[in-house]
Amino acid sequence: MERRHSVNGPLLATCRLVVGSVFVVAAVLKLADRNAFLDDIRHYNLISGSLAHGVANYLPWLELVCASCLLVRWRERAAATLAAILCSAFTLLTAITWIRGIDVACGCFGPAWDAGRPVLTLLRDVLLSLAGVFVARGFSNDADKSNGDAGCER
């Protein structure tokens, strides 16, 4: 039985590589300067204290694991779904903060990414969310389910 995503193979692979690569860069930059990332989180004025510290400590590692799974093609559907959820959450947080009139650095790429570009940040996060959904949907088809595949193309 032919897989549905074989027609979109190059686009699916490109989306997977782009989302995975963006997540690697974002995670590495956050890990390189955790204090700056923690400050970015605090500037959103949505969470504070130990929750902010938890996000600053664990989110970059979650992004790195997610990216690694996408790039080595292990549990792609789960990783792509997680990436889409994370990007959607980032989009929502950026929109809420922008609506509240707070001008903050997005925090996505560490201190290298400056404040003042919420529209571009929203656009980037929406596109990454859609790419994640596309990759996740590309691996959920009847052929994968019928042969017991865990959602990975081999």
Side-chain angles (χ1 to χ4, degrees):
M1 182 181 284
E2 186 174 327
R3 293 180 179 210
R4 176 182 55 157
H5 59 273
S6 63
V7 175
N8 295 319
L11 181 58
L12 188 65
T14 300
C15 287
R16 181 179 51 79
L17 290 173
V18 167
V19 173
S21 298
V22 167
F23 268 55
V24 165
V25 171
V28 168
L29 290 173
K30 288 172 189 157
L31 289 169
D33 193 350
R34 287 192 207 183
N35 290 329
F37 181 49
L38 178 60
D39 287 342
D40 288 337
I41 292 169
R42 288 179 176 152
H43 290 143
Y44 276 84
N45 294 328
L46 294 172
I47 60 174
S48 62
S50 61
L51 184 57
H53 281 278
V55 170
N57 286 326
Y58 295 108
L59 181 62
W61 292 107
L62 180 63
E63 290 173 333
L64 195 56
V65 168
C66 181
S68 299
C69 289
L70 285 170
L71 295 174
V72 301
R73 302 187 74 186
W74 186 73
R75 302 289 190 216
E76 293 169 278
R77 183 173 45 195
T81 300
L82 177 59
I85 290 168
L86 288 173
C87 288
S88 297
F90 301 153
T91 303
L92 181 63
L93 291 173
T94 301
I96 289 170
T97 305
W98 187 33
I99 290 168
R100 292 170 55 211
I102 300 171
D103 184 24
V104 297
C106 84
C108 303
F109 298 100
W113 193 264
D114 55 314
R117 300 187 282 187
V119 174
L120 293 177
T121 300
L122 288 168
L123 179 61
R124 181 200 60 226
D125 288 344
V126 166
L127 291 174
L128 286 170
S129 296
L130 292 174
V133 168
F134 179 72
V135 173
R137 294 280 301 154
F139 291 103
S140 61
N141 61 54
D142 293 336
D144 287 340
K145 291 175 187 167
S146 66
N147 69 12
D149 193 1
C152 297
E153 178 182 307
R154 297 278 178 219

